[in-house]
Short mmCIF file of all heavy atoms in Angstrom, two decimals:
data_model
loop_
_atom_site.label_atom_id
_atom_site.label_comp_id
_atom_site.label_asym_id
_atom_site.label_seq_id
_atom_site.Cartn_x
_atom_site.Cartn_y
_atom_site.Cartn_z
N ASN O 426 30.69 24.97 -19.51
CA ASN O 426 31.36 24.68 -18.24
C ASN O 426 32.55 23.76 -18.56
O ASN O 426 32.36 22.58 -18.83
CB ASN O 426 30.36 24.00 -17.30
CG ASN O 426 30.93 23.74 -15.93
OD1 ASN O 426 32.12 23.98 -15.70
ND2 ASN O 426 30.11 23.27 -15.02
N LEU O 427 33.73 24.34 -18.58
CA LEU O 427 34.91 23.58 -19.02
C LEU O 427 35.76 23.17 -17.84
O LEU O 427 36.06 23.97 -16.96
CB LEU O 427 35.76 24.43 -19.97
CG LEU O 427 35.12 24.89 -21.27
CD1 LEU O 427 36.14 25.63 -22.11
CD2 LEU O 427 34.56 23.72 -22.07
N ARG O 428 36.13 21.91 -17.82
CA ARG O 428 37.06 21.43 -16.79
C ARG O 428 38.45 21.96 -17.11
O ARG O 428 38.84 22.06 -18.27
CB ARG O 428 37.08 19.90 -16.76
CG ARG O 428 35.80 19.32 -16.22
CD ARG O 428 35.90 17.81 -16.10
NE ARG O 428 36.93 17.43 -15.15
CZ ARG O 428 36.72 17.36 -13.84
NH1 ARG O 428 35.53 17.64 -13.34
NH2 ARG O 428 37.67 17.00 -13.02
N LEU O 429 39.19 22.30 -16.07
CA LEU O 429 40.51 22.88 -16.29
C LEU O 429 41.62 21.92 -15.87
O LEU O 429 42.71 22.33 -15.51
CB LEU O 429 40.64 24.19 -15.50
CG LEU O 429 39.65 25.28 -15.88
CD1 LEU O 429 39.88 26.52 -15.05
CD2 LEU O 429 39.75 25.63 -17.36
N ASP O 430 41.32 20.63 -15.88
CA ASP O 430 42.34 19.68 -15.45
C ASP O 430 43.20 19.18 -16.62
O ASP O 430 44.01 18.31 -16.47
CB ASP O 430 41.72 18.51 -14.69
CG ASP O 430 40.60 17.85 -15.48
OD1 ASP O 430 40.31 18.36 -16.59
OD2 ASP O 430 40.03 16.88 -14.99
N ARG O 431 42.98 19.74 -17.81
CA ARG O 431 43.81 19.37 -18.96
C ARG O 431 44.73 20.54 -19.28
O ARG O 431 44.34 21.71 -19.15
CB ARG O 431 42.95 19.05 -20.17
CG ARG O 431 42.06 17.83 -19.96
CD ARG O 431 41.11 17.70 -21.12
NE ARG O 431 41.79 17.30 -22.33
CZ ARG O 431 41.98 16.03 -22.70
NH1 ARG O 431 41.52 15.07 -21.95
NH2 ARG O 431 42.59 15.73 -23.82
N ALA O 432 45.92 20.23 -19.68
CA ALA O 432 46.91 21.28 -19.95
C ALA O 432 46.38 22.26 -20.99
O ALA O 432 45.86 21.86 -22.02
CB ALA O 432 48.21 20.64 -20.43
N GLY O 433 46.51 23.54 -20.70
CA GLY O 433 46.12 24.56 -21.66
C GLY O 433 44.63 24.72 -21.83
O GLY O 433 44.17 25.43 -22.72
N ALA O 434 43.87 24.09 -20.98
CA ALA O 434 42.43 24.11 -21.15
C ALA O 434 41.85 25.52 -21.03
O ALA O 434 40.97 25.90 -21.77
CB ALA O 434 41.77 23.21 -20.11
N GLU O 435 42.41 26.28 -20.09
CA GLU O 435 41.85 27.61 -19.88
C GLU O 435 42.12 28.53 -21.06
O GLU O 435 41.27 29.30 -21.49
CB GLU O 435 42.44 28.22 -18.61
CG GLU O 435 41.68 29.44 -18.17
CD GLU O 435 42.29 30.05 -16.93
OE1 GLU O 435 43.33 29.57 -16.45
OE2 GLU O 435 41.72 31.03 -16.46
N ALA O 436 43.32 28.40 -21.58
CA ALA O 436 43.73 29.32 -22.62
C ALA O 436 42.98 29.08 -23.94
O ALA O 436 42.55 30.02 -24.60
CB ALA O 436 45.23 29.18 -22.85
N ASP O 437 42.80 27.84 -24.28
CA ASP O 437 42.29 27.54 -25.59
C ASP O 437 40.78 27.29 -25.56
O ASP O 437 40.34 26.17 -25.32
CB ASP O 437 43.03 26.31 -26.14
CG ASP O 437 42.55 25.97 -27.54
OD1 ASP O 437 41.97 26.88 -28.18
OD2 ASP O 437 42.75 24.84 -27.97
N ALA O 438 40.02 28.35 -25.74
CA ALA O 438 38.58 28.19 -25.70
C ALA O 438 37.92 28.76 -26.95
O ALA O 438 36.71 28.90 -27.03
CB ALA O 438 38.01 28.86 -24.46
N SER O 439 38.74 29.12 -27.92
CA SER O 439 38.18 29.75 -29.10
C SER O 439 37.50 28.71 -30.01
O SER O 439 36.56 29.02 -30.72
CB SER O 439 39.27 30.48 -29.88
OG SER O 439 40.27 29.54 -30.21
N GLU O 440 37.98 27.48 -29.95
CA GLU O 440 37.37 26.43 -30.75
C GLU O 440 36.80 25.37 -29.81
O GLU O 440 37.52 24.78 -29.02
CB GLU O 440 38.41 25.80 -31.68
CG GLU O 440 37.78 25.05 -32.82
CD GLU O 440 38.80 24.76 -33.91
OE1 GLU O 440 39.67 23.92 -33.66
OE2 GLU O 440 38.72 25.39 -34.99
N LEU O 441 35.52 25.20 -29.89
CA LEU O 441 34.86 24.30 -28.95
C LEU O 441 34.19 23.15 -29.68
O LEU O 441 33.93 23.24 -30.88
CB LEU O 441 33.80 25.07 -28.13
CG LEU O 441 34.36 26.09 -27.14
CD1 LEU O 441 33.25 27.00 -26.67
CD2 LEU O 441 35.02 25.40 -25.96
N TYR O 442 33.91 22.12 -28.91
CA TYR O 442 33.23 20.94 -29.45
C TYR O 442 32.01 20.67 -28.59
O TYR O 442 32.03 20.94 -27.38
CB TYR O 442 34.16 19.72 -29.41
CG TYR O 442 35.46 19.94 -30.13
CD1 TYR O 442 36.54 20.54 -29.48
CD2 TYR O 442 35.60 19.57 -31.46
CE1 TYR O 442 37.73 20.76 -30.14
CE2 TYR O 442 36.80 19.78 -32.13
CZ TYR O 442 37.87 20.38 -31.47
OH TYR O 442 39.05 20.60 -32.12
N ILE O 443 30.97 20.17 -29.21
CA ILE O 443 29.78 19.77 -28.44
C ILE O 443 29.68 18.25 -28.49
O ILE O 443 29.76 17.66 -29.57
CB ILE O 443 28.50 20.41 -29.03
CG1 ILE O 443 28.52 21.92 -28.84
CG2 ILE O 443 27.25 19.81 -28.36
CD1 ILE O 443 27.33 22.64 -29.46
N ASP O 444 29.54 17.67 -27.30
CA ASP O 444 29.37 16.21 -27.24
C ASP O 444 27.91 15.90 -27.59
O ASP O 444 27.03 15.94 -26.73
CB ASP O 444 29.72 15.74 -25.83
CG ASP O 444 29.59 14.23 -25.69
OD1 ASP O 444 29.25 13.58 -26.69
OD2 ASP O 444 29.82 13.73 -24.58
N MET O 445 27.68 15.65 -28.87
CA MET O 445 26.30 15.49 -29.35
C MET O 445 25.66 14.19 -28.86
O MET O 445 24.43 14.04 -28.91
CB MET O 445 26.27 15.53 -30.88
CG MET O 445 26.46 16.93 -31.45
SD MET O 445 25.11 18.03 -31.04
CE MET O 445 23.88 17.50 -32.22
N SER O 446 26.48 13.25 -28.38
CA SER O 446 25.89 11.98 -27.93
C SER O 446 25.03 12.18 -26.69
O SER O 446 24.16 11.37 -26.38
CB SER O 446 26.99 10.97 -27.64
OG SER O 446 27.77 11.44 -26.58
N THR O 447 25.27 13.28 -25.95
CA THR O 447 24.50 13.54 -24.72
C THR O 447 23.45 14.63 -24.92
O THR O 447 22.80 15.05 -23.95
CB THR O 447 25.45 13.97 -23.60
OG1 THR O 447 26.20 15.09 -24.07
CG2 THR O 447 26.38 12.86 -23.17
N ALA O 448 23.32 15.12 -26.16
CA ALA O 448 22.40 16.24 -26.40
C ALA O 448 20.95 15.75 -26.43
O ALA O 448 20.67 14.56 -26.51
CB ALA O 448 22.75 16.90 -27.73
N HIS O 449 20.03 16.71 -26.29
CA HIS O 449 18.60 16.40 -26.36
C HIS O 449 17.98 17.28 -27.44
O HIS O 449 18.47 18.38 -27.73
CB HIS O 449 17.91 16.71 -25.03
CG HIS O 449 18.47 15.95 -23.89
ND1 HIS O 449 18.26 14.62 -23.70
CD2 HIS O 449 19.26 16.36 -22.85
CE1 HIS O 449 18.87 14.23 -22.60
NE2 HIS O 449 19.49 15.26 -22.07
N PHE O 450 16.87 16.80 -28.00
CA PHE O 450 16.12 17.63 -28.94
C PHE O 450 14.71 17.85 -28.41
O PHE O 450 14.10 16.94 -27.82
CB PHE O 450 16.07 16.95 -30.32
CG PHE O 450 17.36 17.07 -31.07
CD1 PHE O 450 18.26 16.02 -31.12
CD2 PHE O 450 17.69 18.27 -31.71
CE1 PHE O 450 19.46 16.14 -31.80
CE2 PHE O 450 18.90 18.38 -32.40
CZ PHE O 450 19.78 17.32 -32.44
N PHE O 451 14.23 19.07 -28.58
CA PHE O 451 12.90 19.43 -28.08
C PHE O 451 12.05 19.97 -29.22
O PHE O 451 12.56 20.62 -30.15
CB PHE O 451 13.01 20.52 -27.00
CG PHE O 451 13.77 20.08 -25.78
CD1 PHE O 451 15.16 20.27 -25.70
CD2 PHE O 451 13.12 19.48 -24.71
CE1 PHE O 451 15.86 19.87 -24.57
CE2 PHE O 451 13.84 19.07 -23.58
CZ PHE O 451 15.20 19.27 -23.51
N ASP O 452 10.75 19.71 -29.11
CA ASP O 452 9.79 20.27 -30.07
C ASP O 452 9.51 21.71 -29.66
O ASP O 452 9.03 21.95 -28.55
CB ASP O 452 8.50 19.43 -30.02
CG ASP O 452 7.47 19.89 -31.03
OD1 ASP O 452 7.54 21.07 -31.45
OD2 ASP O 452 6.60 19.09 -31.40
N PRO O 453 9.82 22.68 -30.51
CA PRO O 453 9.62 24.08 -30.10
C PRO O 453 8.15 24.45 -29.88
O PRO O 453 7.85 25.41 -29.17
CB PRO O 453 10.23 24.88 -31.25
CG PRO O 453 10.29 23.95 -32.40
CD PRO O 453 10.37 22.57 -31.87
N GLN O 454 7.23 23.70 -30.50
CA GLN O 454 5.80 23.99 -30.32
C GLN O 454 5.33 23.59 -28.92
O GLN O 454 4.75 24.38 -28.20
CB GLN O 454 4.97 23.21 -31.37
CG GLN O 454 5.33 23.51 -32.81
CD GLN O 454 4.94 24.92 -33.21
OE1 GLN O 454 3.86 25.37 -32.87
NE2 GLN O 454 5.83 25.61 -33.91
N THR O 455 5.59 22.33 -28.57
CA THR O 455 5.11 21.81 -27.29
C THR O 455 6.14 21.95 -26.18
O THR O 455 5.81 21.80 -25.00
CB THR O 455 4.77 20.31 -27.43
OG1 THR O 455 5.98 19.61 -27.76
CG2 THR O 455 3.74 20.07 -28.52
N GLU O 456 7.38 22.23 -26.53
CA GLU O 456 8.53 22.31 -25.62
C GLU O 456 8.85 20.97 -24.96
O GLU O 456 9.59 20.90 -24.00
CB GLU O 456 8.31 23.39 -24.53
CG GLU O 456 8.17 24.78 -25.12
CD GLU O 456 8.38 25.88 -24.10
OE1 GLU O 456 8.37 25.57 -22.90
OE2 GLU O 456 8.59 27.03 -24.52
N MET O 457 8.26 19.89 -25.48
CA MET O 457 8.51 18.54 -24.92
C MET O 457 9.75 17.94 -25.59
O MET O 457 10.03 18.21 -26.76
CB MET O 457 7.32 17.61 -25.16
CG MET O 457 6.03 18.08 -24.52
SD MET O 457 6.13 18.28 -22.74
CE MET O 457 6.07 16.57 -22.23
N ARG O 458 10.45 17.11 -24.83
CA ARG O 458 11.62 16.43 -25.39
C ARG O 458 11.14 15.37 -26.37
O ARG O 458 10.13 14.69 -26.13
CB ARG O 458 12.44 15.77 -24.27
CG ARG O 458 13.72 15.10 -24.77
CD ARG O 458 14.64 14.79 -23.59
NE ARG O 458 14.02 13.84 -22.68
CZ ARG O 458 14.12 12.52 -22.77
NH1 ARG O 458 14.82 11.97 -23.75
NH2 ARG O 458 13.53 11.74 -21.89
N ILE O 459 11.86 15.26 -27.47
CA ILE O 459 11.50 14.24 -28.47
C ILE O 459 12.15 12.93 -28.02
O ILE O 459 13.37 12.87 -27.85
CB ILE O 459 11.98 14.67 -29.88
CG1 ILE O 459 11.31 16.02 -30.24
CG2 ILE O 459 11.65 13.61 -30.91
CD1 ILE O 459 11.95 16.73 -31.40
N LYS O 460 11.28 11.93 -27.78
CA LYS O 460 11.76 10.68 -27.20
C LYS O 460 11.76 9.56 -28.22
O LYS O 460 11.05 9.62 -29.22
CB LYS O 460 10.83 10.26 -26.05
CG LYS O 460 10.79 11.23 -24.90
CD LYS O 460 9.80 10.70 -23.88
CE LYS O 460 9.59 11.65 -22.74
NZ LYS O 460 8.53 11.21 -21.86
N SER O 461 12.54 8.53 -27.89
CA SER O 461 12.54 7.33 -28.74
C SER O 461 11.27 6.53 -28.47
O SER O 461 10.58 6.76 -27.47
CB SER O 461 13.77 6.48 -28.41
OG SER O 461 13.64 5.98 -27.10
#
Side-chain angles (χ1 to χ4, degrees):
Chain O
N426 184 354
L427 299 184
R428 290 185 63 84
L429 299 180
D430 53 358
R431 296 172 70 90
E435 193 181 3
D437 182 20
S439 58
E440 198 165 71
L441 291 166
Y442 304 86
I443 293 176
D444 181 0
M445 286 294 282
S446 64
T447 55
H449 301 287
F450 284 101
F451 298 90
D452 183 336
Q454 301 291 317
T455 63
E456 298 198 345
M457 299 301 284
R458 184 166 62 90
I459 301 165
K460 297 178 185 173
S461 67

